[in-house]
């Protein structure tokens, strides 16, 4: 399994409380004024004005927090969709954005796809917004995703050899033949024959030997992706903070 977090926890915002203001009223003694007269009225008026200003400040903060949270939700959702689409497109490009994948050894047929024999790996890519709006996570849960994405080596086992013998027999059985029993010289047959040769070569490897898997990255960070994320953020900033509704 592989996972790529695209946006860090700095995208998460907490609702911080603004400290309440203390309004102090002053009354004059020995001025001959009644507390219920002009001096008392002035103090009440100042208190009301200060309370109204405080309420306006709180309203402004609530509106600001609302816009920030909207921006975060929009941006994370757009990243979730767009990044997944870009990683999926890597299979069509047969490249990690602009970095071409290494072709199979001895295979000069560029019409033959890489990492798409069954399509399981490509379909396994999932994206989600992390809990607490901490970021976006892109994952693939198939067992061989990591080795293809990062490259490396695997050890040949008896079980692996048995699997490749089964695949070899299936491939050979799928070859179309003439009535005389000869294999037809069609494009599909040539493809099946190459697959059969590969499966046979793998099945004949010694148990315990190592097989090198070239890196064919399809998930991860890339300058083209970073540019896309910046564009998404800028567009959503305009959408949210230039909206006067």
């Amino acid at each position: 399994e592989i996972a790529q977090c695209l946006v860090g926890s700095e995208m998460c915002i907490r609702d911080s409380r603004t400290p309440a203001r203390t309004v102090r009223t002053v009354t004059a003694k020995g001025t001959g004024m009644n507390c219920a007269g002009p001096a008392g009225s002035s103090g009440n008026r100042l208190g009301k004005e200060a309370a109204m200003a405080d309420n306006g400040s709180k309203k402004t903060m609530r509106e600001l927090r609302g816009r920030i949270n909207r921006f975060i939700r929009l941006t994370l959702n757009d990243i979730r969709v767009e990044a997944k689409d870009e990683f999926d497109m890597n299979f069509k490009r047969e490249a990690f954005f602009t970095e071409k994948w290494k072709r199979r050894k001895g295979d000069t047929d560029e019409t033959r796809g890489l990492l798409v024999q069954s399509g399981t790996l490509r379909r396994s890519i999932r994206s989600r917004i992390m809990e607490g709006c901490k970021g976006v996570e892109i994952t693939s849960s198939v067992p061989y995703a990591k080795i293809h994405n990062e490259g490396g080596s695997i050890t040949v086992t008896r079980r692996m050899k048995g699997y490749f013998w089964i695949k070899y027999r299936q491939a050979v059985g799928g070859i179309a033949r003439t009535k005389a029993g000869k294999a037809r010289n069609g494009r599909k047959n040539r493809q099946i024959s190459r697959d059969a040769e590969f499966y046979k070569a793998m099945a004949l490897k010694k148990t315990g030997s190592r097989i090198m898997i070239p890196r064919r990255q399809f998930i991860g960070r890339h300058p083209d992706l970073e540019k896309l994320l910046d564009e998404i953020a800028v567009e959503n900033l305009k959408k949210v903070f230039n909206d006067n509704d």
Side-chain angles (χ1 to χ4, degrees):
E1 181 178 354
I2 55 174
Q4 175 68 59
C5 181
L6 296 179
V7 183
S9 58
E10 65 272 10
M11 289 296 293
C12 185
I13 184 169
R14 290 186 178 181
D15 184 9
S16 57
R17 298 294 179 184
T18 303
R21 295 180 185 174
T22 301
V23 179
R24 185 174 298 172
T25 57
V26 179
T27 57
K29 290 185 179 180
T31 59
M33 293 183 182
N34 191 297
C35 287
S41 299
S42 176
N44 289 338
R45 187 171 64 252
L46 287 172
K48 288 180 180 178
E49 290 175 355
M52 289 175 64
D54 190 41
N55 289 336
S57 176
K58 288 181 179 179
K59 183 181 178 182
T60 300
M61 288 301 297
R62 284 196 300 270
E63 290 177 351
L64 179 60
R65 284 196 296 268
R67 286 178 182 261
I68 292 173
N69 286 330
R70 183 185 171 209
F71 164 73
I72 291 171
R73 289 194 301 271
L74 282 173
T75 302
L76 291 181
N77 190 61
D78 287 348
I79 290 173
R80 179 185 65 81
V81 174
E82 296 294 334
K84 181 179 182 295
D85 287 347
E86 286 297 321
F87 292 150
D88 179 79
M89 280 296 295
N90 285 331
F91 288 87
K92 185 176 181 179
R93 289 187 283 251
E94 295 192 347
F96 184 54
F97 295 92
T98 56
E99 301 167 17
K100 282 290 184 181
W101 290 346
K102 184 178 180 180
R103 304 255 0 136
R104 299 180 188 88
K105 188 176 181 180
D107 185 3
T108 57
D109 183 4
E110 295 192 1
T111 64
R112 185 186 179 191
L114 297 170
L115 302 185
V116 290
Q117 186 171 20
S118 66
T120 301
L121 180 60
R122 184 175 184 175
R123 291 193 301 270
S124 73
I125 299 175
R126 297 287 183 269
S127 62
R128 72 178 183 91
I129 296 175
M130 298 166 68
E131 186 177 353
C133 293
K134 292 181 179 178
V136 172
E137 188 177 55
I138 312 289
T139 62
S140 174
S141 59
V142 297
Y144 47 85
K146 185 175 182 179
I147 191 69
H148 284 301
N149 197 63
E150 300 177 4
S153 62
I154 56 176
T155 303
V156 177
T157 63
R158 289 183 180 181
R159 183 177 180 181
M160 188 186 300
K161 286 165 62 71
Y163 166 81
F164 283 117
W165 277 124
I166 292 171
K167 295 294 289 183
Y168 169 73
R169 287 192 286 270
Q170 289 175 344
V172 171
I175 295 175
R177 299 182 181 277
T178 64
K179 291 182 178 179
K182 289 186 176 182
R184 297 184 182 276
N185 189 27
R187 181 178 175 180
K188 185 177 180 181
N189 261 10
R190 290 195 296 272
Q191 175 69 60
I192 293 173
S193 295
R194 284 194 294 267
D195 289 342
E197 290 172 5
F198 169 76
Y199 295 141
K200 184 177 181 180
M202 296 297 291
L204 291 173
K205 286 187 174 293
K206 293 182 179 180
T207 301
S209 60
R210 307 286 290 179
I211 300 173
M212 297 303 299
I213 306 296
R215 180 182 185 184
R216 297 187 178 108
Q217 189 173 5
F218 52 93
I219 288 179
R221 290 189 175 275
H222 188 275
D224 287 0
L225 180 64
E226 300 295 336
K227 181 181 178 182
L228 174 63
L229 301 188
D230 288 343
E231 290 172 354
I232 290 172
V234 169
E235 185 64 28
N236 284 333
L237 278 171
K238 293 177 181 177
K239 186 185 297 183
V240 172
F241 290 97
N242 290 345
D243 180 8
N244 295 320
D245 296 337

